[in-house]
């Protein structure tokens, strides 16, 4: 069987994890890792033992590529995606699909024109806990869903890395906006939102401290989504996540930051056991399932679990949350 040739664009934390997963897949060949910063690309390629490229175009021009994984910063997804589709490669692009509706629609249109698959990396759909919750709701375990509460808070130290490069709804919110749609089985039709600003701005990061949105869905479900990145450095794990669903006949609760293992020494910590833990020397968890699904999609054995339409829907909600917060009035989608 011919090996699936995959390249990674974006040599940061997520790109390196994806590259390791490609190398570990028995059917794949990692053809290289690309980054606009040549020093970053060189360091990543040296640690991975693969070729370094200066751009997606350089990598695609160097030889046949079956699939491209795009993990660049959020507003630089469109170029590598369009280049990949133009060369006949399928694409796995990290969330958000894009930061503007025009870019997102351009990526989707290029996928359709090239007849090549597009998978958007909303990793929670591959997290066994969130996937099981969605399955139970869809199976009617708690009756018709009535209300949803989602929380995703990051530590204040995250901005030492992100440095204000992306808004809170676009960076964190899209995770939960996508989950709300998926679990409720319906589309968001109206957004009311407020954000809190000032603390991070005072530290030099021009982003929201926190955001709270009320989403009304077409089937009547009401969802409250709380996002923030001002948890103190003393927090045991650096993030706080919940996803609760109240139904007509029951309730499901998900605590995302507790992975089942507590380490108690000078402080209590909860190591990641679900998203992308390194187990037996290999990246595992939801990210591994996402990569394996992408390989199945490239081989024609599966259709994308998270489509471009899904990615666009989550983006539209994020932008509506930003607009509702800015205007102080409800926004219809």
């Amino acid at each position: 069987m011919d090996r699936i040739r995959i390249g990674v664009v974006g040599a940061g934390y997520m790109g390196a994890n994806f590259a390791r997963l490609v190398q570990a897949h028995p059917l794949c060949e990692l053809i290289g890792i690309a980054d606009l910063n040549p020093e970053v690309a060189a360091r990543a390629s040296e640690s991975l033992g693969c070729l370094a490229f200066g751009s997606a175009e350089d990598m695609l021009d160097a030889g046949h590529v079956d699939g491209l994984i795009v993990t660049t910063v959020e507003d630089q997804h469109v170029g590598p995606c369009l280049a990949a589709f133009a060369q006949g490669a399928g694409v796995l692009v990290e969330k958000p699909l894009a930061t503007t509706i025009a870019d997102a629609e351009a990526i989707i249109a290029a996928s359709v024109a090239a007849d090549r698959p597009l998978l958007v990396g909303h990793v929670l759909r591959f997290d066994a806990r969130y996937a099981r919750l969605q399955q139970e709701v869809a199976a009617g375990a708690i009756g018709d869903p009535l209300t949803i509460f989602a929380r995703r808070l990051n530590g204040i130290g995250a901005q030492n890395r992100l440095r204000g490069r992306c808004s809170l709804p676009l960076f964190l919110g899209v995770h939960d906006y996508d989950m709300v749609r998926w679990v409720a089985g319906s589309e968001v039709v109206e957004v009311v939102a407020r954000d809190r600003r000032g603390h991070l701005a005072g530290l030099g990061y021009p982003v929201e401290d926190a955001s709270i949105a009320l989403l009304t869905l077409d089937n009547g479900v009401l969802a409250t989504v709380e996002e923030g990145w001002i948890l103190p450095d003393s927090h045991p794990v650096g993030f706080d996540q919940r996803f609760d669903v109240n139904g007509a006949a029951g309730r499901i609760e998900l605590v995302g930051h507790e992975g089942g293992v507590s380490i108690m020494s000078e402080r209590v910590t909860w190591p990641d056991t679900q998203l992308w833990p390194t187990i037996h020397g290999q990246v595992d968890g939801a990210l591994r399932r996402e990569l394996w699904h992408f390989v199945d999609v490239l081989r024609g054995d599966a259709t994308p679990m998270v489509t471009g339409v899904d990615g666009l829907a989550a983006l539209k909600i994020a932008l509506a949350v930003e607009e509702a917060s800015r205007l102080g009035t409800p926004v219809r989608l």
Side-chain angles (χ1 to χ4, degrees):
M1 181 181 297
D2 291 338
R3 294 173 70 79
I4 305 296
R5 292 169 52 83
I6 296 178
V8 177
V9 181
Y13 178 77
M14 293 303 293
N17 277 332
F18 271 117
R20 291 169 59 197
L21 283 165
V22 173
Q23 288 182 319
H25 197 293
L27 300 180
C28 291
E29 175 186 350
L30 177 66
I31 61 172
I33 191 163
D35 199 282
L36 294 177
N37 186 323
E39 294 181 359
V40 172
R43 284 197 301 269
S45 68
E46 182 177 356
S47 66
L48 293 163
C50 67
L51 295 175
F53 296 91
S55 67
E57 291 79 5
D58 290 345
M59 179 185 294
L60 292 162
D61 290 341
H64 175 72
V65 179
D66 297 302
L68 197 68
I69 300 175
V70 179
T71 66
T72 58
V73 295
E74 294 74 20
D75 62 356
Q76 295 177 16
H77 288 173
V78 64
C81 289
L82 297 188
F85 291 131
Q87 294 276 19
V91 170
L92 163 56
V93 57
E94 256 296 315
K95 62 79 199 167
L97 172 58
T99 57
T100 69
I101 292 174
D103 280 354
E105 289 179 338
I107 293 171
I108 295 170
S111 170
V112 172
D115 194 24
R116 299 304 298 148
L118 169 63
L119 173 65
V120 185
H122 284 280
V123 71
L124 295 187
R125 296 215 192 186
F126 300 90
D127 184 317
R129 301 165 300 173
Y130 285 87
R132 181 60 183 266
L133 182 150
Q134 189 273 340
Q135 289 174 11
E136 294 292 340
V137 173
I142 59 170
D144 291 337
L146 304 176
T147 64
I148 295 173
F149 173 74
R151 172 187 291 151
R152 188 164 306 272
L153 307 178
N154 273 15
I156 196 167
Q159 286 304 319
N160 294 333
R161 174 174 59 90
L162 298 173
R163 310 192 71 79
R165 79 182 192 206
C166 188
S167 75
L168 188 51
L170 284 171
F171 190 82
L172 291 182
V174 289
H175 283 299
D176 292 305
Y177 308 147
D178 178 66
M179 282 303 304
V180 165
R181 293 180 59 249
W182 192 38
V183 171
S186 186
E187 297 297 335
V188 173
V189 295
E190 185 179 80
V191 171
V192 176
R194 296 290 186 273
D195 61 31
R196 197 274 180 201
R197 296 172 180 265
H199 181 60
L200 288 171
L203 298 175
Y205 306 127
V207 291
E208 314 90 338
D209 300 330
S211 166
I212 298 177
L214 175 64
L215 313 180
T216 301
L217 286 91
D218 192 47
N219 63 357
V221 170
L222 293 179
T224 303
V225 182
E226 178 187 2
E227 310 289 339
W229 33 32
I230 50 174
L231 288 180
D233 291 334
S234 59
H235 191 275
V237 72
F239 59 91
D240 177 356
Q241 301 171 355
R242 288 197 66 96
F243 200 94
D244 304 328
V245 185
N246 292 302
R251 173 180 169 88
I252 300 180
E253 298 179 350
L254 189 160
V255 181
H257 54 275
E258 296 180 2
V261 177
S262 297
I263 301 175
M264 288 159 276
S265 55
E266 294 181 358
R267 58 180 292 191
V268 177
T269 58
W270 302 319
D272 174 30
T273 62
Q274 303 293 332
L275 292 174
W276 41 79
T278 297
I279 306 297
H280 304 308
Q282 298 290 341
V283 180
D284 209 316
L287 203 68
R288 179 180 181 274
R289 296 187 195 101
E290 185 175 284
L291 184 279
W292 280 60
H293 176 65
F294 182 50
V295 174
D296 287 343
V297 168
L298 292 176
R299 297 180 64 206
D301 295 333
T303 57
M305 186 182 298
V306 193
T307 66
V309 172
D310 292 319
L312 177 59
L315 171 62
K316 287 181 176 179
I317 298 168
L319 296 177
V321 170
E322 291 183 356
E323 184 179 6
S325 297
R326 183 173 63 254
L327 298 177
T329 58
V331 171
R332 297 286 298 180
L333 278 79

